[in-house]
Amino acid sequence: GAVVSQHPSRVICKSGTSVKIECRSLDFQATTMFWYRQFPKQSLMLMATSNEGSKATYEQGVEKDKFLINHASLTLSTLTVTSAHPEDSSFYICSALTGGGPSNQPQHFGDGTRLSIL
Amino acid sequence: KNEVEQSPQNLTAQEGEFITINCSYSVGISALHWLQQHPGGGIVSLFMLSSGKKKHGRLIATINIQEKHSSLHITASHPRDSAVYICAVKSSQSEETSGSRLTFGEGTQLTVNP
């Protein structure tokens, strides 16, 4: 089945550090990738949608200069949390969607990245 | 009121019990997903359905479009089924307005005791 690899799985770093999270589709081409954030005991919240080769579409309330998304190839999207602060500590998870075919397709999720800012 | 509501929020069962998790939604949808989130956080897509019923092993998912309701059933539950089960819907709005984005329920925490 389709596999999405997310790296790193856990990051602990100091306040002010920038952190990059990678999301790779290993055995398919992902024209669209989604980045989600999840706080404890809460549901996933969509942060942004990225399409290969174009600028990401951010959800209302998500700072595009704070959460930089790059989707430069059909197999890789990155999320960079710039100048991270403790309130950015959360679980970040990506999902990928293949292009073409039926409009209804399952999203394939990565295993997530647990980010802790000290 | 959330567009997608799940019940119950928490469910504890004994091994072998039949389990049902419910999902109700208030928008028109083109597809409904059932996802399983493991304690470590990783998410697995269990089902995607737009009508009727699907079965995979001990898992069964049903949907009633008219009633805007879906259920996930687990037969002969096992401790390894312990996870958070999430219902998510894809709106039937045009692709230009909603794309492929999903709206998620808040999840049902299932614990199956041996």
Side-chain angles (χ1 to χ4, degrees), chain A residues 38 43 59 97 103-104 107, chain B residues 30 37 90 100-101 104-105:
Chain A
Q38 186 180 35
S43 188
E59 294 300 300
L97 196 63
S103 59
N104 276 332
Q107 290 188 20
Chain B
S30 59
Q37 185 168 31
K90 181 184 171 189
S100 297
R101 59 185 299 171
F104 296 85

Side-chain angles (χ1 to χ4, degrees), chain B residues 27-103:
Chain B
V27 296
I29 68 167
S30 59
L32 182 142
H33 300 249
W34 280 104
L35 310 170
Q36 180 191 53
Q37 185 168 31
H38 295 287
I43 292 177
V44 174
S45 179
L46 299 176
F47 294 104
M48 183 181 69
L49 64 166
S50 54
S51 65
K53 175 181 174 178
K54 287 190 176 180
K55 185 176 188 293
H56 186 259
R58 295 181 294 107
L59 302 178
I60 303 167
T62 63
I63 188 169
N64 184 317
I65 297 294
Q66 287 74 29
E67 294 186 2
K68 294 186 175 175
H69 180 270
S70 175
S71 293
L72 176 68
H73 305 285
I74 304 175
T75 61
S77 61
H78 190 275
R80 64 175 175 267
D81 297 326
S82 298
V84 175
Y85 291 83
I86 302 170
C87 171
V89 301
K90 181 184 171 189
S91 170
S92 57
Q93 285 181 314
S94 68
E95 288 292 314
E96 287 76 22
T97 54
S98 68
S100 297
R101 59 185 299 171
L102 299 177
T103 302

Side-chain angles (χ1 to χ4, degrees), chain A residues 6-104:
Chain A
Q6 190 171 336
H7 178 81
S9 58
R10 184 169 180 90
V11 180
I12 301 173
C13 58
K14 293 181 178 179
S15 185
T17 307
S18 291
V19 178
K20 180 185 279 190
I21 302 170
E22 293 186 349
C23 181
R24 292 181 185 273
S25 56
L26 297 186
D27 53 0
F28 66 100
Q29 293 185 330
T31 54
T32 303
M33 287 187 172
F34 302 91
W35 286 97
Y36 299 93
R37 183 173 182 175
Q38 186 180 35
F39 290 106
K41 306 292 185 185
Q42 294 188 22
S43 188
L44 284 79
M45 290 173 44
L46 180 64
M47 298 175 68
T49 303
S50 78
N51 292 296
E52 184 266 339
S54 61
K55 289 184 178 180
T57 302
Y58 289 81
E59 294 300 300
Q60 193 171 13
V62 178
E63 299 175 58
K64 61 179 71 174
D65 295 331
K66 173 77 172 175
F67 299 99
L68 301 178
I69 291 173
N70 184 284
H71 192 164
S73 78
L74 284 171
T75 59
L76 174 65
S77 177
T78 61
L79 167 67
T80 301
V81 183
T82 61
S83 188
H85 288 92
E87 58 266 29
D88 298 323
S89 299
S90 189
F91 185 69
Y92 294 86
I93 191 165
C94 69
S95 71
L97 196 63
T98 59
S103 59
N104 276 332

